[in-house]
Amino acid sequence: MNEPATPTDPQQLRAEIEQKRADLGDTVQQLAAKADVKTRAKQALGDATDKTKQRLADIRGRTAEAADTAKDKPATAQQKLADSDLPAPLRRPLPLAVIAAATVAAIITVIVVARRRRS
């Protein structure tokens, strides 16, 4: 009882056997690759490293753009202060910064003292 799909020619049989062997060899290689945890872990690490490097490059680019934008802001702020109607001592950025820093320091001191008294 020969199946109709089975070739009767010996050459065809050999060719079919070779094809099946090749397919089986490919399947075994695929299974072996799946079972090789060490190689798969290295591959995953490499992929993660590549993604991280790409993200870092993107962040560096955005940081450079932000730095370029930030370079212009002090000059713009200084020009706005010079053009404003504020009294002359307040138009200079240094005294304004000192006043702001002193105010922040005073607020922090009050908060720290208040918390220590509660304890």
Side-chain angles (χ1 to χ4, degrees), residues 16-30:
E16 188 175 307
I17 289 171
E18 287 301 317
Q19 181 62 40
K20 295 288 182 183
R21 283 182 181 163
D23 291 345
L24 183 60
D26 291 343
T27 303
V28 168
Q29 285 180 349
Q30 290 173 358

Side-chain angles (χ1 to χ4, degrees), residues 41-112:
K42 284 182 181 178
Q43 181 66 33
L45 179 63
D47 293 345
T49 302
D50 292 343
K51 278 185 182 179
T52 303
K53 286 180 181 178
Q54 181 61 38
R55 286 182 184 165
L56 184 59
D58 291 344
I59 290 170
R60 283 182 183 153
R62 283 188 265 149
T63 303
E65 289 174 12
D68 288 342
T69 304
K71 284 180 188 177
D72 299 334
K73 286 190 178 184
T76 306
Q78 190 173 13
Q79 185 62 37
K80 284 181 181 178
L81 277 173
D83 295 342
S84 71
D85 294 334
L86 292 173
L90 292 180
R91 275 191 246 154
R92 287 180 273 142
L94 182 60
L96 189 59
V98 171
I99 292 169
T103 305
V104 170
I107 292 171
I108 292 172
T109 304
V110 168
I111 292 171
V112 169

